[in-house]
Amino acid sequence: MDTRTIPQSTTAAFFIQSVIAFGASLAAAIVGMLYLPMDPWQRGFIGITILFLTSSTFTLSKVVRDRQEQAQVMARIDEARVERLIADHDPYVPNKTNAA
């Protein structure tokens, strides 16, 4: 039985929905920052916060993706080792340690 994992890919609709949701939330935050009655230094603080939040979101998503890919690679390596051990094992050949 072949239990290899099939690479998962997202649909175009999910990708577009994600891009639109990200763009709408970022635009709403920027519009809110621009139209709130604040001093310029407060506006700058909010702007830097939005920028930092956006960059850390991209970093977090990349780290999560990298860890998932690493786990898949390690699982494939372990699976290949087990398959090789099974392929190399011949139950009809006596063990070298029991031959004496």
Side-chain angles (χ1 to χ4, degrees):
M1 184 167 133
D2 192 12
T3 60
R4 293 185 183 148
T5 57
I6 298 171
Q8 297 175 352
S9 63
T10 58
T11 62
F14 180 74
F15 178 76
I16 292 170
Q17 185 266 336
S18 298
V19 169
I20 290 171
F22 175 76
S25 64
L26 185 61
I30 290 171
V31 167
M33 177 190 71
L34 293 175
Y35 287 103
L36 278 174
M38 294 187 276
D39 292 334
W41 70 269
Q42 292 170 323
R43 226 178 278 282
F45 178 79
I46 298 295
I48 294 294
T49 302
I50 291 171
L51 180 66
F52 182 66
L53 182 62
T54 303
S55 66
S56 62
T57 301
F58 282 114
T59 303
L60 177 63
S61 67
K62 183 185 179 317
V63 168
V64 169
R65 183 199 64 204
D66 290 348
R67 291 186 82 182
Q68 180 182 8
E69 287 177 354
Q70 182 182 15
Q72 287 177 349
V73 167
M74 293 304 292
R76 286 183 182 175
I77 290 172
D78 290 341
E79 181 181 332
R81 286 180 183 158
V82 169
E83 286 179 5
R84 181 166 181 190
L85 284 173
I86 291 171
D88 290 345
H89 177 69
D90 188 358
Y92 299 110
V93 174
N95 291 342
K96 293 178 184 176
T97 57
N98 294 338

